[in-house]
Amino acid sequence: MKDEINAPSSLGKRSVNSAYHANEKGYYGEFGGAFIPEMLYPNTEELRLNYIRIMEEPSFKQEFDQLLKDYVGRPTPLYFADRLSKKYGTKIYLKREDLCHTGAHKVNNTIGQILMAKKLGKNRIIAETGAGQHGVATATVCALMGIECVVYMGEIDIARQAPNVARMKMLGAEVRPALSGSRTLKDATNEAIRDWINNPVDTHYIIGSVVGPHPYPDMVARFQSVISEEIKWQLKEKEGHENPDYVVACVGGGSNAAGAYYHYLDDTNVGIIAVEAAGKGIDSGESAATSALGKVGIIHGSKTLLMQTQDGQITEPYSISAGLDYPGVGPMHAHLFRSGRGEFISITDDEAMTAGLEVSQLEGIIPAIETSHAFAIFDYKKFKKDDVVVINLSGRGDKDLQTYIDYFRL
Amino acid sequence: MNRINKKLKEDGKLLSIYFTAGYPHLDDTVKIIGELEKNGVDMIEIGLPFSDPLADGPTIQESSTAALKNGMTTEILFEQLRDIRKTISIPLIIMGYFNPVLQYGVEAFCKKCREIGIDGLILPDLPFDVYQEEYENLFKKYGLLNTFLITPQTSDERIFQIDNASEGFIYMVSSASTTGAKQGFGSEQTNYFERIASLHLKNPQIVGFGISNTETFTEATEKAKGAIIGSAFIKHLTQNGVDSIADFIKLIRC
């Protein structure tokens, strides 16, 4: 085990002929690509031409690994959830991304991208954030590196996520309200992209999920792939084999899921389960279940499934979980859905909240509401007694306490 | 010959105006086009509003949001433009983002444009390589010119590729910015205008972004064939309404 921990992370290295990873043009099947105005072309081109080369530099890997170990606290445990397993009659392991510094998997990506930005000689960072988790993870690494940081956040989200706004400010970031459109995550993303158009030379845009134009979905997936890389050797220690029967993760944009699936994508013996937010119900008009409600279209520079009107206007999703209410989904996940490789399950607000409370009381772990969706699949999906099911526990619930308090009248 | 090509062959500098269809009021489209032609504008970009206009600054964003709130759709725009060629003879271009076109169906969209008498399209987020691989044949089949953008950051090599693939004009974005973000030109623009002129491209260039008055129009067209005004015109409509279009044009071409 020791050798494996000390081995440099592969940063998503993979066989060339993968059916489920991005090809060299950034396509996952029919999804992905770079549908961007010419003003963004030099920015993304610089990244596209350099990201794999930089990731493969030994000095980059070394710094990335060191920070993940000493600063983020990796490897995160793979924990056998005994009481939860007994309750559902199967073997459930939890990948504890909630124990990462800043409270979620998001920091794996921001560590990678801040190092990438430094290698590219950038001295200013911009980011978008919805609930504020990615904003906090970005502000954190900017503080760590002493780099200027501007985080765009929808005006409405700023009002309802005050603690995270305060955290970003304490970390020295400037939080700029997105005042356009629906003033939530998609508009914050638009504003960040507009900032990048206006500052093409000195600025790096740290996208928080496996969305956006090529090479972002692939780059972010590679940084997050450390999750499944660790699951493999941890499971080998515990079960004697690297592969579980299922990997389960919640999907908004899909970065924690991309990381948890990454090294299993081409291994079709491993079932992939993606859990989306149904909000108040798929047919309620207040939902974020993109695979069920989305059609092929273009959002934030990527061809993917997205929720839109018949006329091609992007609509505003809804979920009780701020991290899942994105109207699109990363192109990797659109392809997993379309190809049938992934099984997609939609979970309502109520089901997620109930599952979150159950995990809290069975395992002593309060999950983020995003993650609670992944714990609510047992009514929809039955597992065999000997099945090994890994659930990616993507974030902790501290940030959601007020929502839990209001919901359960605690 | 396409009306755009004919217009580009005329002497003099071209003034092209962008407006967002459905703004300030849903039914202003035909009236705005008529006023622009009457007042000597050479070419018009009719903006198909989009919920998430990435390349646009606040002025065009707000006009798009308002237009959508007013009820503008692709279908309604086509309906409004149905008889436009009975009265209007200058080139008409539809400018918008790719997703609404994709949802309408790219071929159906092109076909409808031809029926109406639209001469070209500008779709900033339809990348050059995807256009060439997937859509060029369709655009040609329906006689539509597609216009690509270049910016001060675009390499000479890429500019030559774009020039080769273009058959009308090249849209020169004057600075690294969203629409309406900057006012006036500095040395970066002067150098850029000179660099592009020295490339002797086969397609004429029309400059957009940052043009709002006679001074910037004159500077932009010193080397280029024409200039496009968008945000400044929309601001004028917001403040003065559609009956005052003549006043705006006089400010540009005095």
Side-chain angles (χ1 to χ4, degrees):
Chain A
M1 170 184 152
K2 195 160 180 292
D3 285 351
E4 279 159 316
I5 293 177
N6 289 338
S9 62
S10 72
L11 277 161
K13 209 169 171 73
R14 60 200 189 219
S15 68
V16 183
N17 298 318
S18 168
Y20 301 104
H21 287 289
N23 69 16
E24 73 284 359
K25 286 187 167 176
Y27 279 91
Y28 298 81
E30 66 172 300
F31 301 108
F35 291 80
I36 47 166
E38 188 65 27
M39 293 80 99
L40 278 178
Y41 181 82
N43 311 33
T44 56
E45 191 66 0
E46 181 183 28
L47 208 51
R48 187 184 71 82
L49 292 172
N50 292 297
Y51 80 110
I52 291 177
R53 178 185 61 75
I54 290 174
M55 280 178 164
E56 285 176 353
E57 285 174 11
S59 64
F60 183 91
K61 285 188 180 186
Q62 196 191 357
E63 204 174 351
F64 182 69
D65 284 346
Q66 197 73 46
L67 284 170
L68 287 190
K69 181 167 172 272
D70 297 339
Y71 187 72
V72 174
R74 303 204 73 92
T76 58
L78 183 71
Y79 160 72
F80 178 67
D82 190 38
R83 296 187 70 205
L84 200 62
S85 296
K86 285 205 174 86
K87 166 137 199 196
Y88 291 107
T90 191
K91 292 165 91 172
I92 300 170
Y93 283 89
L94 307 181
K95 180 58 176 163
R96 297 291 310 274
E97 293 301 298
D98 60 317
L99 295 177
C100 289
H101 178 44
T102 72
H105 70 289
K106 291 286 186 192
V107 73
N108 302 328
N109 170 47
T110 60
I111 291 272
Q113 286 206 48
I114 197 84
L115 295 176
M116 181 69 65
K118 274 176 67 182
K119 289 271 184 189
L120 292 170
K122 308 292 176 179
N123 56 28
R124 179 173 177 268
I125 295 294
I126 54 171
E128 85 295 339
T129 197
Q133 288 306 102
H134 172 60
V136 168
T138 304
T140 298
V141 298
C142 287
L144 179 68
M145 297 294 172
I147 295 181
E148 181 189 349
C149 178
V150 175
V151 179
Y152 288 91
M153 188 168 184
E155 192 183 31
I156 289 177
D157 290 332
I158 287 178
R160 62 186 178 187
Q161 306 289 341
N164 273 343
V165 175
R167 288 167 85 192
M168 286 185 272
K169 287 182 178 168
M170 267 194 88
L171 292 161
E174 181 192 344
V175 180
R176 282 193 197 161
L179 304 170
S180 60
S182 50
R183 293 170 291 147
T184 58
L185 175 59
K186 87 176 167 71
D187 310 285
T189 310
N190 292 339
E191 288 306 327
I193 291 173
R194 288 178 187 124
D195 181 306
W196 210 24
I197 288 174
N198 284 286
N199 298 284
V201 180
D202 65 340
T203 298
H204 176 72
Y205 176 21
I206 300 190
I207 292 186
S209 192
V210 286
V211 302
H214 179 57
Y216 277 104
D218 185 46
M219 181 172 71
V220 176
R222 284 171 188 258
F223 286 136
Q224 293 292 359
S225 71
V226 65
I227 299 172
S228 49
E229 194 166 335
E230 288 175 4
I231 295 174
K232 279 196 149 186
W233 64 256
Q234 290 172 321
L235 205 57
K236 177 130 199 213
E237 271 186 7
K238 291 178 196 302
E239 290 285 328
H241 50 82
E242 291 185 335
N243 289 2
D245 295 288
Y246 297 93
V247 186
V248 183
C250 62
V251 174
S255 68
N256 92 79
Y261 304 157
Y262 194 94
H263 288 287
Y264 296 118
L265 285 171
D266 289 305
D267 210 329
T268 49
N269 291 325
V270 179
I272 282 173
I273 298 178
V275 186
E276 291 183 318
K280 294 181 179 170
I282 284 178
D283 301 319
S284 67
E286 293 182 79
S287 178
T290 309
S291 70
L293 297 168
K295 285 185 299 176
V296 179
I298 311 288
I299 182 169
H300 300 138
S302 182
K303 189 180 211 181
T304 186
L305 293 170
L306 66 120
M307 293 167 56
Q308 52 186 316
T309 66
Q310 204 176 0
D311 210 38
Q313 309 296 341
I314 299 171
T315 54
E316 190 56 21
Y318 163 81
S319 164
I320 194 167
S321 148
L324 298 182
D325 61 355
Y326 183 68
V329 64
M332 172 197 281
H333 303 299
H335 180 52
L336 290 176
F337 175 72
R338 196 47 81 79
S339 65
R341 173 72 182 92
E343 184 176 349
F344 281 65
I345 296 174
S346 304
I347 295 298
T348 64
D349 289 353
D350 291 337
E351 291 164 337
M353 296 302 274
T354 305
L357 186 64
E358 182 180 83
V359 174
S360 302
Q361 297 182 354
L362 284 178
E363 297 294 344
I365 299 169
I366 300 174
I369 297 174
E370 289 81 2
T371 317
S372 293
H373 286 71
F375 285 107
I377 60 169
F378 297 99
D379 288 339
Y380 296 94
K381 178 82 188 170
K382 298 296 172 204
F383 299 98
K384 293 200 281 284
K385 194 164 167 284
D386 293 335
D387 280 346
V388 173
V389 180
V390 175
I391 299 179
N392 196 33
L393 213 171
S394 55
R396 67 172 92 116
D398 306 30
K399 71 180 176 64
D400 294 319
L401 217 51
Q402 193 57 51
T403 312
Y404 281 127
I405 289 168
D406 294 345
Y407 187 87
F408 292 113
R409 300 176 191 226
L410 299 170
Chain B
M1 189 191 272
N2 187 298
R3 290 181 197 90
I4 297 170
N5 295 114
K6 258 188 234 165
K7 182 57 83 176
L8 290 165
K9 285 192 192 313
E10 289 176 9
D11 291 337
K13 301 298 186 182
L14 305 184
L15 171 61
S16 186
I17 297 282
Y18 168 94
F19 74 98
T20 306
Y23 181 83
H25 308 288
L26 181 63
D27 294 323
D28 285 337
T29 312
V30 173
K31 179 166 184 185
I32 292 172
I33 293 171
E35 286 292 310
L36 289 172
E37 182 174 81
K38 199 171 81 186
N39 287 287
V41 166
D42 297 295
M43 191 156 72
I44 298 173
E45 273 113 52
I46 304 165
L48 178 64
F50 182 48
S51 55
D52 294 76
L54 285 183
D56 287 302
T59 304
I60 293 180
Q61 285 171 40
E62 281 158 23
S63 69
S64 302
T65 305
L68 293 172
K69 268 198 190 128
N70 291 341
M72 182 51 83
T73 64
T74 310
E75 201 66 66
I76 288 174
L77 178 60
F78 283 145
E79 188 54 35
Q80 290 175 345
L81 295 174
R82 194 179 53 183
D83 296 324
I84 200 74
R85 283 302 174 198
K86 288 184 179 159
T87 53
I88 299 296
S89 58
I90 59 174
L92 297 176
I93 293 171
I94 290 184
M95 182 163 185
Y97 289 81
F98 188 44
N99 197 49
V101 178
L102 197 61
Q103 299 314 314
Y104 194 87
V106 180
E107 175 149 24
F109 194 94
C110 291
K111 192 167 174 234
K112 198 78 188 178
C113 284
R114 170 146 143 166
E115 281 169 25
I116 290 166
I118 298 295
D119 305 292
L121 298 177
I122 305 176
L123 303 169
D125 61 342
L126 173 59
F128 172 63
D129 55 332
V130 176
Y131 168 75
Q132 284 199 310
E133 280 166 34
E134 295 182 40
Y135 301 114
E136 188 171 15
N137 291 339
L138 277 182
F139 278 54
K140 289 200 165 151
K141 181 175 168 189
Y142 295 102
L144 294 168
L145 293 185
N146 190 25
T147 297
F148 299 106
L149 278 55
I150 62 171
T151 80
Q153 275 72 40
T154 311
S155 67
D156 287 359
E157 185 193 354
R158 189 166 165 86
I159 291 172
F160 284 125
Q161 282 175 353
I162 286 171
D163 189 40
N164 267 328
S166 301
E167 293 175 357
F169 64 92
I170 289 173
Y171 191 133
M172 263 176 81
V173 176
S174 66
S175 65
S177 72
T178 43
T179 55
K182 297 186 182 168
Q183 286 185 340
F185 297 133
S187 59
E188 190 202 352
Q189 280 70 41
T190 316
N191 294 339
Y192 168 55
F193 295 159
E194 277 170 13
R195 172 168 79 97
I196 301 304
S198 73
L199 296 178
H200 302 291
L201 302 176
K202 77 178 167 82
N203 292 278
Q205 303 98 50
I206 297 192
V207 180
F209 292 40
I211 298 144
S212 57
N213 51 29
T214 310
E215 194 189 349
T216 41
F217 180 79
T218 309
E219 275 182 74
T221 55
E222 195 183 323
K223 299 233 164 17
K225 177 67 184 168
I228 302 171
I229 300 177
S231 298
F233 178 65
I234 288 170
K235 271 185 199 155
H236 182 85
L237 286 182
T238 304
Q239 284 159 10
N240 306 293
V242 291
D243 293 320
S244 67
I245 287 174
D247 301 339
F248 182 80
I249 305 304
K250 274 181 213 143
L251 284 176
I252 307 299
R253 278 192 164 158
C254 46

